[in-house]
Amino acid sequence: MTIPRDHPRYRSLVARESLASCCREGIVSLEGLAAHGRGEAFDYLLGERTTESALLAERTAAAFLLCARNPVISVNGNTAALAAGEIRDLQEATGAKVEVNLFHRTEERIEKIRRLLEDNGVRVLEGEAQRLLALSHDRAYCLVEGIFSADVILVPLEDGDRCQVLAGMGKTVITIDLNPLSRTARAATLTIVDELTRALPNITRFSHSLRQEESLELIAVHDNAVLLKEALGEMRRRLGDALD
Ligand code: PTJ
């Protein structure tokens, strides 16, 4: 289907089309389509734009990644379908490793996602995944030299259980999640309440410009509870305006 460029919902329709076609190819799970719909609903409440507090979270994410010893970006089906090029740019800017890690894990899906990422210039970590995290589902599988030994890990569109386990292992967990009420948003060290394809280029841009002292300062003062409150406040303000 050709989506007309002048359609008022062009960006949203292109994202849906890309997810639907990646779902047909077996890259995105059916559950991933449902997860995207939930994200869209929260994005409506945000006004489909990056708020001031999200921008601060994105700067802070860049700071954490730049100061990390072993930063890792964990990529699932939705992230690969929506933002393979943006992941490549962030990897180039920060030197982070990229590991494919799935909730609905099959070797076939992992292979397809790896191929999509590599076709877009991402260097994907290789190796034999092992059951290393204290989780009863397949997100327990990860690579020793990747997620398991990472000190800072970016997990966009994450599920709450793994986020809690990773944080419990003492890792800095950064997530991108449009739902500020989700368990992931609450368990992460830093939550970016913004849409994935808006958030990633901002983190990349900040990664190119932040200096060491600024990064250390951002890390020292960051407060996830305040960022979440501001995101919810923004949604409440917009709802209030609509009701007036
Ligand atoms: O590819 P897999 O098998 O690893 O599965 C991936 C999904 C996304 C299905 C899996 O991780 C999952 O079930 O995630 P959840 O628990 O539904 O959480 C996804 C969160 O991401 C939800 O809170 C959504 O609101 C949010 N979200 C969805 N799309 C976007 C988003 N946040 C930012 N940008 C988006 N485009």
Side-chain angles (χ1 to χ4, degrees):
M1 174 198 164
T2 311
I3 300 160
R5 276 207 161 267
D6 60 353
H7 193 288
R9 310 256 345 123
Y10 178 76
R11 251 181 86 90
S12 161
L13 293 179
V14 168
R16 282 185 181 181
E17 188 60 27
S18 160
L19 284 164
S21 111
C22 284
C23 189
R24 284 189 285 269
E25 288 173 38
I27 290 168
V28 169
S29 61
L30 280 171
E31 294 82 352
L33 297 183
H36 183 75
R38 179 158 56 183
E40 280 187 328
F42 279 101
D43 206 17
Y44 242 86
L45 295 178
L46 268 185
E48 296 174 303
R49 72 203 156 85
T50 301
T51 62
E52 279 304 310
S53 59
L55 205 59
L56 173 61
E58 284 151 9
R59 277 188 89 207
T60 309
F64 272 118
L65 289 167
L66 290 175
C67 292
R69 184 180 34 78
N70 185 19
V72 172
I73 306 169
S74 174
V75 173
N76 63 17
N78 288 45
T79 303
L82 289 173
E86 287 85 348
I87 293 289
R88 175 205 53 228
D89 295 344
L90 184 58
Q91 179 176 50
E92 275 171 15
T94 61
K97 294 174 183 165
V98 170
E99 179 172 340
V100 178
N101 185 279
L102 304 182
F103 189 74
H104 309 95
R105 185 187 177 94
T106 64
E107 287 310 315
E108 198 190 347
R109 274 192 75 214
I110 291 193
E111 212 28 60
K112 285 181 179 175
I113 292 168
R114 164 194 296 284
R115 221 171 308 133
L116 173 64
L117 291 169
E118 288 179 347
D119 287 349
N120 280 276
V122 179
R123 280 168 285 114
V124 181
L125 212 51
E126 308 226 8
E128 192 70 33
Q130 299 171 52
R131 216 175 171 88
L132 295 171
L133 306 183
L135 288 165
S136 51
H137 53 75
D138 282 352
R139 265 200 155 160
Y141 281 96
C142 64
L143 297 172
V144 173
E145 62 280 27
I147 288 169
F148 186 69
S149 57
D151 55 340
V152 174
I153 169 161
L154 173 63
V155 284
L157 284 62
E158 175 63 345
D159 90 291
D161 286 2
R162 188 172 66 134
C163 185
Q164 272 166 350
V165 165
L166 292 170
M169 290 167 79
K171 298 178 190 301
T172 296
V173 185
I174 305 166
T175 193
I176 301 171
D177 191 334
L178 280 159
N179 176 5
L181 296 168
S182 75
R183 281 184 312 132
T184 301
R186 293 180 173 264
T189 318
L190 174 69
T191 302
I192 298 166
V193 184
D194 199 1
E195 204 281 322
L196 178 76
T197 61
R198 294 196 302 266
L200 290 174
N202 285 338
I203 306 173
T204 300
R205 186 163 48 84
F206 289 129
S207 300
H208 284 301
S209 64
L210 271 180
R211 285 173 292 116
Q212 168 93 356
E213 318 84 77
E214 285 178 280
S215 294
L216 294 175
E217 176 67 15
L218 283 163
I219 290 170
V221 302
H222 100 276
D223 185 333
N224 204 43
V226 169
L227 290 170
L228 291 176
K229 249 188 216 149
E230 285 182 8
L232 283 166
E234 191 65 41
M235 290 177 186
R236 186 171 59 185
R237 258 192 303 282
R238 281 185 51 83
L239 280 171
D241 289 350
L243 286 167
D244 283 345

